Amino acid sequence: NIIHLHGELLKSRSTINETDIHVCKKDILLGDLCQKGHQIRPHIVWFGEVVPMIEKAVSICETADILVIIGTSMQVYPAASLMDYAPNNIPIYYIDSKPAKVNNNRVTVIPETATQGVEKLLDLL
C-alpha cells in the first residue's frame, strides 16, 4: 500500500477546499484559480500543516506484515514516528542513499538509492 503522506507534486488543489484536487501539468502561478475562484496550490503538505493521511498511515503500520521506508531523512514528524506503530514482531527496512541514524534495533538499514535498495531488499526477502 502506497500512501502519498505529504501529497503529490504533480497535483494541485484549491487553497480553500483541500479535497478539490486536480492533475497539474504546468507551473502554478499567482492568479491560477480553481472553479470556485480561489487560488490553487501544490497538493503537498507544507511544514506546520496537518498531515491528512497520517491516521490511515498509522492504521496500515499497525497491521503490517513488513514495513519498508524508502527515501526519507527520518527527521520530520509525525511521519518519522510511523515505524513505532508497527507490530513488534515484523521486519522493518529503511532504504536511503544517505540514511539517518535510527535508534531502533528492529530496523535493517540499506544505504542505497531507492532502485538499488529495493533490489537488495528483494534479495533479502
Side-chain angles (χ1 to χ4, degrees), residues 13 28 37 45-46 53 62 65 84 93 103-104 106 115-116 123 125:
R13 70 176 190 230
I28 298 171
V45 176
W46 302 112
M53 299 297 288
E62 289 174 335
D65 295 320
D84 299 332
Y93 298 92
N103 295 323
N104 186 328
R106 295 175 46 207
T115 301
Q116 294 167 333
D123 289 340
L125 299 177

Side-chain angles (χ1 to χ4, degrees), residues 99-110:
K101 185 173 183 176
V102 178
N103 295 323
N104 186 328
N105 59 359
R106 295 175 46 207
V107 178
T108 300
V109 178
I110 302 174

Side-chain angles (χ1 to χ4, degrees), residues 68-74 93-96 112-115 117-118 121:
V68 181
I69 303 160
I70 303 173
T72 178
S73 68
M74 296 297 290
Y93 298 92
Y94 171 35
I95 301 169
D96 192 83
E112 300 285 347
T113 64
T115 301
V118 169
L121 175 61

Side-chain angles (χ1 to χ4, degrees), residues 8-12 22-25 43-44:
E8 297 176 70
L9 197 53
L10 297 178
K11 291 187 178 179
S12 64
H22 303 278
V23 173
C24 185
K25 296 183 179 184
H43 180 52
I44 59 173

